[in-house]
Amino acid sequence: MATIYEVAALAGVSPATVSRVFNGNTVSEEKQRLVRDAAQQLGFTPNKTARRLRKQSSEIICLLVPDIENPFFTALARGVEDRAQESGFSVVLCNTDDDPAKELRYLQIAASEQMAGVILSPASDEVDLGAIASLGRPVVAVDRTTPYPVDAVKIDNRAAGIAATTALVEAGFRRIACIAGPAGIEETEDRYLGWKQVVTARKTLVRDGFLQHANFRVDGGRSAMKALLELVQPPDAVVTTNNLMAIGALQALHETGIDPEDFGVAVLGELPYLLPPPSSVVQVRLPARHLGRTAASMLLERIGGDTQPLRTVVLRAEIARPPLSL
Amino acid sequence: MATIYEVAALAGVSPATVSRVFNGNTVSEEKQRLVRDAAQQLGFTPNKTARRLRKQSSEIICLLVPDIENPFFTALARGVEDRAQESGFSVVLCNTDDDPAKELRYLQIAASEQMAGVILSPASDEVDLGAIASLGRPVVAVDRTTPYPVDAVKIDNRAAGIAATTALVEAGFRRIACIAGPAGIEETEDRYLGWKQVVTARKTLVRDGFLQHANFRVDGGRSAMKALLELVQPPDAVVTTNNLMAIGALQALHETGIDPEDFGVAVLGELPYLLPPPSSVVQVRLPARHLGRTAASMLLERIGGDTQPLRTVVLRAEIARPPLSL
DNA sequence: GTGCTTGACGAAATCGATTTCTTGCACTTT
DNA sequence: AAAGTGCAAGAAATCGATTTCGTCAAGCAC
């Protein structure tokens, strides 16, 4: 790899001039040409590491998601990436497994690597943003919020929960249960509050045990559904607060031999590649990609020096019925 | 962020000594203690950028995949990540969209960022590994190979194609078509050669048009399947050479109103979250995660200075029937 | 013609670590 | 006791860019 010094020597100018040529400073036409020719000839690309050390910043943004195998988050990642590319930024994608320790580790890496900013979907309320915050690097929370004062982009989770539950009520179901995520995660709490509001307002039957907490994955949804089906008076429909748990729930229904057409299922999120789409499944489409794109835009604005007050952007989910066929 | 100089000053030693403490060189017990105490007190973490500039290398490995929304590649990514973590390396995940230009761009970034090595699933035969190769950084090709002399981990694609097709023959299907990926991509060519070998050997009926080339995505599979169904004498079964195209094919069947139980479908890859699993679907399980893990191991060995001759590891796919229920 | 501004551009400092070179001291060896 | 050996640890060079500072000359006003 050629360095700026070699280019300077070949072009017969000082290294400073070479740097200026590539950073848009005042250099005479003549020398510009000399430098560009020399650079071309040597195949020179500026060493990013040296530049970063000097400038104390890079053009990389760090994206922390809890589960990269969840299509919701890959879609979100695409959104971030698309937007970042437009501004010449690269994205580093990291997987936290909802583990605060891993999360912390990546945040420290982000700090010590001089990354320009962080977009994260926090694993818990106790995220420690101290390291990056103290460096003044902007952070945007996505999908979930944090107690730290940072910008956020989220979904109107309560409205989504209401929409999903209402759709089931209107389809004629009267014993609607809810499979929520782990207790204490805001995102899922809001969704189940939406459910609660509707079942209360509509006075549908709610039994003890109709609210199940589960982990966010397929197995969580499955066991929660099994538990629901074993109740003395089981529900006739269920709202699941994320996509993977819905898959688990549908699996449980299938394994129990229940025709999914007879059992209402509403999902907050999209079921990937589901086919044939059971007509009784209601999906509330979460704008994952858009969420990512918006978060990236906000982050890039902050990186560009924007100092306006903190913002929380709330995106509205839209109901999709029958489910998407891709 | 505290620097090595501040730590040195607080501990009353030279910066060199501080560096030695953190790099396992000979320092007296006494000074070690002083330095560690000072570092602790200041919350010192070495600046990775400065270290990288000096050492001309980092502990980051770059993973280039064509499509991060394809579950096959996310599983592969997890494998890489798991292995990398064990050795204290971080993984940067990049999406090429099978676009040689994007690929090249990321390869240059990998080079100019001093990343320790690259694992890639090349977008085309014309990958230009010049930049990283000339820096002596190791590269491992995964899933697909390249003309460049690099280590590779792949799947025995022809055997997988044979297994898939044979399973259909044994299930009694006699007019077996094939939906292959874009012509010219080795990985898919081998798979369709497996199909060809079996249909020839078993003398099943093959018509013009039974071999369809499509892009690797859901829409490609769907239109290929539609084309097959419009043939004067359509097939009674199909082998698709990747997972997403199979989804598309199943969608097309569904839309045409054909009962999937009556039509044989064999997939090279796993169908994510499919339910209920139609019993006539054969899946050849590709060890994606293991592929990633193996690639990472090989790369890490090279990074560690291993100079043994080039290796190509071929992993065997296993047939799964009935399909996985997650 | 003198003094002042302005712009191009080279010299040198800087970012924060690692590493080589050197020094100084303690301890053998003959 | 002089010379040789070994080792801890400081001084200084180094990685490759950016940026500050200063110089010099041209352009302009008086």
Side-chain angles (χ1 to χ4, degrees):
Chain A
M1 278 302 214
T3 74
I4 208 174
Y5 297 96
E6 305 173 47
V7 174
L10 182 58
V13 301
S14 78
T17 302
V18 177
S19 172
R20 286 193 264 257
V21 169
F22 289 101
N23 290 281
N25 273 306
T26 54
V27 176
S28 68
E29 288 288 319
E30 170 65 3
K31 305 229 162 178
Q32 287 217 21
R33 202 182 44 69
L34 282 172
V35 169
R36 289 194 196 284
D37 284 356
Q40 176 86 44
Q41 194 175 326
L42 296 172
F44 166 77
T45 5
N47 181 314
K48 294 263 186 72
T49 304
R51 157 181 292 176
R52 187 186 310 181
L53 176 59
R54 180 64 232 240
K55 308 233 292 193
Q56 301 287 318
S57 86
S58 68
E59 306 205 317
I60 297 180
I61 77 189
C62 179
L63 172 61
L64 288 174
V65 299
D67 178 10
I68 200 197
E69 288 189 275
N70 183 336
F72 174 79
F73 290 111
T74 53
L76 190 150
R78 285 305 288 258
V80 171
E81 200 173 72
D82 291 347
R83 180 64 189 81
Q85 294 256 333
E86 289 169 18
S87 300
F89 280 65
S90 306
V91 177
V92 169
L93 183 51
C94 307
N95 204 83
T96 64
D97 278 327
D98 263 325
D99 170 357
K102 270 195 171 182
E103 184 174 79
L104 182 61
R105 190 166 157 255
Y106 278 121
L107 285 170
Q108 282 168 342
I109 290 180
S112 72
E113 291 279 347
Q114 269 89 20
M115 298 192 185
V118 176
I119 297 176
L120 92 163
S121 189
S124 77
D125 264 6
E126 294 110 43
V127 228
D128 181 7
L129 296 180
I132 355 142
S134 69
L135 288 176
R137 305 257 181 246
V139 174
V140 174
V142 69
D143 192 40
R144 307 177 186 171
T145 57
T146 90
Y148 274 80
V150 298
D151 288 322
V153 191
K154 47 176 292 193
I155 287 167
D156 188 339
N157 287 311
R158 181 189 271 252
I162 290 174
T165 316
T166 305
L168 288 176
V169 173
E170 285 173 358
F173 296 102
R174 286 295 173 271
R175 301 195 311 278
I176 305 172
C178 178
I179 300 178
I185 293 191
E186 166 210 10
E187 157 200 25
T188 191
E189 299 257 310
D190 283 349
R191 293 179 186 177
Y192 110 78
L193 286 176
W195 163 79
K196 191 164 183 185
Q197 177 176 335
V198 175
V199 293
T200 308
R202 298 295 195 108
K203 299 195 175 34
T204 67
L205 186 74
V206 178
R207 296 253 144 207
D208 274 2
F210 266 27
L211 173 61
Q212 293 282 329
H213 285 285
N215 71 36
F216 266 137
R217 296 187 302 275
V218 175
D219 62 314
R222 175 152 58 192
S223 32
M225 191 70 203
K226 294 231 156 136
L228 286 173
L229 293 174
E230 278 166 11
L231 292 176
V232 190
Q233 195 172 5
D236 62 356
V238 69
V239 173
T240 64
T241 63
N242 92 342
N243 54 356
L244 299 188
M245 294 191 301
I247 309 256
L250 286 168
Q251 284 179 353
L253 281 176
H254 184 255
E255 286 164 16
T256 321
I258 295 180
D259 186 340
E261 303 289 329
D262 298 337
F263 197 99
V265 177
V267 196
L268 299 198
E270 283 170 60
L271 295 179
Y273 313 130
L274 189 65
L275 57 124
S279 60
S280 63
V281 172
V282 175
Q283 297 183 72
V284 177
R285 207 184 291 182
L286 305 179
R289 197 159 180 158
H290 196 68
L291 209 61
R293 174 165 263 283
T294 308
S297 291
M298 291 169 72
L299 188 73
L300 287 166
E301 283 173 22
R302 293 286 183 202
I303 291 171
D306 183 347
T307 58
Q308 68 174 284
L310 288 183
R311 288 172 297 173
T312 295
V313 174
V314 178
L315 299 180
R316 192 75 184 222
E318 66 182 63
I319 197 149
R321 194 198 166 136
L324 280 197
S325 64
L326 229 157
Chain B
M1 277 302 212
T3 74
I4 208 173
Y5 298 94
E6 305 173 47
V7 175
L10 182 59
V13 301
S14 77
T17 303
V18 178
S19 172
R20 286 193 265 255
V21 169
F22 289 101
N23 290 281
N25 272 306
T26 55
V27 176
S28 69
E29 287 290 318
E30 170 66 3
K31 305 229 161 179
Q32 287 218 20
R33 203 182 43 67
L34 282 172
V35 169
R36 288 194 195 284
D37 284 356
Q40 176 87 43
Q41 195 175 327
L42 296 172
F44 166 77
T45 5
N47 180 314
K48 294 262 185 75
T49 304
R51 158 182 290 177
R52 188 187 308 181
L53 176 59
R54 180 65 231 239
K55 306 234 291 194
Q56 301 286 312
S57 87
S58 69
E59 305 204 319
I60 296 181
I61 77 189
C62 179
L63 172 60
L64 288 174
V65 299
D67 179 10
I68 201 197
E69 288 188 275
N70 183 336
F72 173 78
F73 290 111
T74 53
L76 190 150
R78 286 305 289 259
V80 171
E81 200 173 73
D82 291 348
R83 180 64 189 80
Q85 295 255 333
E86 289 169 19
S87 300
F89 279 66
S90 306
V91 177
V92 169
L93 183 50
C94 308
N95 204 83
T96 64
D97 279 328
D98 263 325
D99 170 359
K102 269 195 171 182
E103 184 173 79
L104 182 60
R105 187 163 159 257
Y106 278 122
L107 285 170
Q108 283 167 343
I109 290 180
S112 72
E113 291 279 348
Q114 269 89 17
M115 297 192 186
V118 175
I119 297 176
L120 92 163
S121 189
S124 78
D125 263 7
E126 294 109 44
V127 228
D128 182 7
L129 296 180
I132 355 142
S134 69
L135 288 176
R137 306 256 181 248
V139 174
V140 175
V142 69
D143 192 41
R144 308 177 185 170
T145 57
T146 90
Y148 274 80
V150 298
D151 288 321
V153 192
K154 47 175 291 192
I155 286 167
D156 188 338
N157 287 310
R158 181 189 271 253
I162 290 173
T165 316
T166 304
L168 288 176
V169 173
E170 285 173 358
F173 296 101
R174 286 296 172 270
R175 301 195 312 277
I176 305 172
C178 178
I179 300 179
I185 293 190
E186 166 210 9
E187 159 200 22
T188 189
E189 298 257 310
D190 283 349
R191 293 178 184 175
Y192 111 78
L193 286 176
W195 164 79
K196 191 163 183 186
Q197 177 177 334
V198 174
V199 292
T200 308
R202 296 296 194 106
K203 299 196 174 35
T204 67
L205 187 74
V206 178
R207 297 250 144 210
D208 273 3
F210 267 27
L211 172 61
Q212 294 280 330
H213 285 284
N215 71 37
F216 266 137
R217 296 186 303 274
V218 174
D219 63 313
R222 175 152 59 191
S223 32
M225 191 71 203
K226 293 232 156 133
L228 285 173
L229 293 175
E230 278 166 10
L231 291 176
V232 188
Q233 195 172 5
D236 63 355
V238 69
V239 173
T240 65
T241 63
N242 91 340
N243 54 355
L244 299 188
M245 294 191 302
I247 310 254
L250 285 167
Q251 284 179 352
L253 281 176
H254 185 256
E255 286 164 16
T256 320
I258 295 179
D259 186 340
E261 304 288 328
D262 298 338
F263 197 99
V265 176
V267 197
L268 300 197
E270 282 171 59
L271 295 180
Y273 313 128
L274 189 64
L275 58 125
S279 61
S280 63
V281 172
V282 176
Q283 297 183 71
V284 178
R285 207 184 291 180
L286 304 179
R289 197 157 180 159
H290 196 68
L291 210 60
R293 174 165 265 282
T294 308
S297 291
M298 291 170 72
L299 189 73
L300 287 166
E301 284 174 22
R302 293 286 184 201
I303 291 170
D306 183 347
T307 58
Q308 67 174 282
L310 288 183
R311 288 173 297 173
T312 295
V313 174
V314 177
L315 298 179
R316 191 77 184 219
E318 66 182 63
I319 198 150
R321 195 200 168 141
L324 280 197
S325 63
L326 230 157

